[in-house]
Amino acid sequence: MAYFDAASAAPLHPVARQALLAALDDGWADPARLYREGRKARMLLDAAREAAAEAVGCRADELVFTPSGTRAVHTGVAGALAGRRRVGRHLIVSAVEHSSVLHSAEVFESEGGSVTRVPVHRTGAVSPSGYAAALRADTALAVLQSANHEVGTTQPVAEVAEVCRSAGVPLLVDAAQSLGWGPVEGGWSLLAASAHKWGGPPGVGLLVVRKGVRFAAQGPADERESGRAPGFENIPAVVAAVASLRAVRAEAARESVRLRELTERIRVRVPRLVPDVEVVGDPERRLPGTVTFSCLYVDGETLLHELDREGFAVSSGSSCTSGTLTPSHVLKAMGVLSEGNVRVSLPPGTAAEDVERFLAVLPDAVAGVREKLGAPAAAATAAEPAALVVDALGKRCPVPVIELAKVFPGVPVGGTVRVLSDDEAARLDIPAWCEMRGQEYLGEEPAEGGTAYSVRRLG
Amino acid sequence: MAYFDAASAAPLHPVARQALLAALDDGWADPARLYREGRKARMLLDAAREAAAEAVGCRADELVFTPSGTRAVHTGVAGALAGRRRVGRHLIVSAVEHSSVLHSAEVFESEGGSVTRVPVHRTGAVSPSGYAAALRADTALAVLQSANHEVGTTQPVAEVAEVCRSAGVPLLVDAAQSLGWGPVEGGWSLLAASAHKWGGPPGVGLLVVRKGVRFAAQGPADERESGRAPGFENIPAVVAAVASLRAVRAEAARESVRLRELTERIRVRVPRLVPDVEVVGDPERRLPGTVTFSCLYVDGETLLHELDREGFAVSSGSSCTSGTLTPSHVLKAMGVLSEGNVRVSLPPGTAAEDVERFLAVLPDAVAGVREKLGAPAAAATAAEPAALVVDALGKRCPVPVIELAKVFPGVPVGGTVRVLSDDEAARLDIPAWCEMRGQEYLGEEPAEGGTAYSVRRLG
């Protein structure tokens, strides 16, 4: 099996495994206790905190361990907002943040706060000027990821941090996807990360709050982790997480070059091998191991199953995948095609042969799915008679776009076709299809039982 | 080293260690993913949930895994209170709950809720009638531990659950100390527990919410663990935790008899071996492995260090231990002596020889501490001249009681002595000394620089 889903979770690093076993023997006791076992546990925890702080580039007393990256984000956002409540109740996030950030923002809104979601370019990146425009006198906090989890695009964190700093607003960086590759540059104020993304065990996140940043932890607290992460410390996992971080950092310079070359192969060759594919995300400013593309006329879940059968573990931001009926908010915010979406995220150590085999297998896998769905061939010539209205009500992604494509050859140049659909993904995918095909998207309007999307044929 | 602090944390059970290693290989991937690794992780998680539910005595879909017992309590209390907000904003807890419950109650009070703290008997147990008296029309939730973590007294959970059920109020049981010994009886509505108390790894708690109980999880949520425990699931630790629970349960019947006999030895022999000792907690209705006693004229922290030097890891609820200046709220609520407090909590498998060695070492350890502090001998005859006022201002526990005891032989029968003290522990320990010595405690009044405690000599 070739595991190409490191952005979800990386398998445990061998160094982490060793450290975990050792710390299970020496670090299981309560570090608050005075007896020898307690003191041993405390020493392990202190040493892990020092090493983690060094890797992050902060002071040890600025860093606490949390039960996950998600909890680090929840705690960090809530604590920073509460700490600056007197300044105001305004929060800035990008439109492509991880769901843990967006969920925090939703809770804040439900409690009366206001949230600005900064849009992104088609590459997935924000502009520093987007954050500058969003800043207000009552802005309590801004949040930005270091790199996007679905498309790998890296964000201009240092520039955004500078924009925020000038306005006196703290910036929380969600470094979940990038901390294994190196420290986050720039004058950020808070940082969250997740160990299982860099080959540590699950159960460990970290939250950094720079000295001088106003912070008021919310909810019940206790005396552990500076009052910022209640509950018995998970020292064996913390020790393993930090050991893994140091190990992947030691390999980062070499591995980043190697993985970047492998993902570049995918970026360049997939569009040549598979018709009607859109590779998404920034081609240059991106994580070394992540590449994402969308295949027209393909159902993401079926393609994932095909690839799984061929021995490849990848993920997808398409709708109908993992039990959700809405496409990825990231692809939506980027305005790119969401159907047939495949994210390949290579763990360190991925063999070039596995990537080559993936490229060998992909074209047939995509073609097979398209055939099952009755999708038009790339160079469609056979056409049904023109039908100016396509009724795709009750049909799920990617069927509405396939139906559109089927009738399109029969539409005269300058003519229009209306697609009736009640599928949320159509709102994203019909405009994306128009862009890929060089046709004009005229807009949408409510229609009985759903929405009508109008397309004019330009050529 | 003899580790006698199982109530804080138990070392990892060998079965848990094996299960953890296996699940690190098979359960590291994201269980929400469709590929094979994801499906394997999902199967492990589902199987662990089924097995945990069976051990608890609930349905699998009523149980979620949390990052710790503390988080299970925080989530359970907040969710149950929010779920019944329309009923009212009143919470009932016992005065001897774990700090995670009391911290939740404090947060609830700070948000405008009202809290009743049900008192306990001198044994540490609540009365069902105490809960009945506390119930109000606006009571949203009642909380009770299954057994006390500091003195081992088991609580009348089934009776209290029945009292609550009659009033239509859900009862949350904190089963952290007892779940390894068996399921919690009675008609409780919610239950929280912590795996590292039963030999599982740290990082795993569990929260059960019975079907039909109104529950609204607070804070940001995600799609994991029924929306009640956000963040990537810690499957290897969950698998290990459940394996350990099953293993300790299989040994529970035999081990409970064996440990009960060992703690009974301590209960009976410590008062014979060491003068001026109060064994606290219920002699019958108690956990098998826990026994707690307090030694007059002894400083808890120094005694712990002495015992550590002799190779025994125990804990203490005395003030000045673990950096806190207030004595344990549990001992305070029970109204028992807090100075020189020692909690012995034996892990399963404790050897009888270790307990015998503890009993052999304890008398000299206590005597050594008393000598250092200049405490009066048990049968004090030498007496300083009567001093009707003892100025112990600025002196920390156990010095105020030692000063009292020193002057007492010189006080005529019927005479009184006033102890001036600014130490919080004196408020608890001077009345406790009177009770142990059969003298009359007259009460306290404010005095310059602290409080004056008055004692009348009866004999």
Side-chain angles (χ1 to χ4, degrees), chain B residues 32-57:
Chain B
R33 297 296 175 198
L34 302 169
Y35 43 74
R36 186 151 45 126
E37 279 76 7
R39 298 194 305 269
K40 272 203 286 189
R42 166 64 53 194
M43 280 168 54
L44 284 176
L45 181 59
D46 289 348
R49 197 185 313 279
E50 289 284 345
E54 198 191 324
V56 169

Side-chain angles (χ1 to χ4, degrees), chain B residues 167-305:
Chain B
V169 170
L171 177 70
L172 184 152
V173 178
D174 172 9
Q177 290 295 328
S178 78
L179 200 66
W181 294 112
V184 177
E185 304 293 329
W188 48 266
S189 297
L190 303 99
L191 181 144
S194 173
H196 76 108
K197 307 285 190 192
W198 68 63
V204 182
L206 53 86
L207 172 64
V208 179
V209 182
R210 292 271 195 209
K211 287 287 153 198
V213 174
R214 285 184 193 282
F215 192 88
Q218 297 300 288
D222 59 22
E223 75 287 0
R224 299 181 193 270
E225 294 298 296
S226 309
R228 290 176 184 166
F232 191 76
E233 295 93 341
N234 190 347
I235 295 177
V238 160
V239 168
V242 176
S244 179
L245 181 57
R246 290 164 66 100
V248 298
R249 281 288 187 83
E251 304 154 357
R254 198 192 61 228
E255 271 304 291
S256 70
V257 171
R258 217 177 59 78
L259 292 188
R260 182 170 283 272
E261 191 274 322
L262 292 178
T263 48
E264 190 61 26
R265 291 191 203 182
I266 296 174
R267 289 192 73 85
V268 170
R269 284 164 56 193
V270 163
R272 292 187 200 150
L273 293 166
V274 180
D276 294 330
V277 158
E278 181 176 12
V279 178
V280 299
D282 194 296
E284 296 299 326
R285 278 181 250 159
R286 61 183 180 87
L287 293 169
T290 303
V291 53
T292 302
F293 53 87
S294 298
C295 308
L296 204 56
Y297 315 140
V298 165
D299 154 29
E301 181 159 343
T302 309
L303 181 55
L304 254 54
H305 281 304

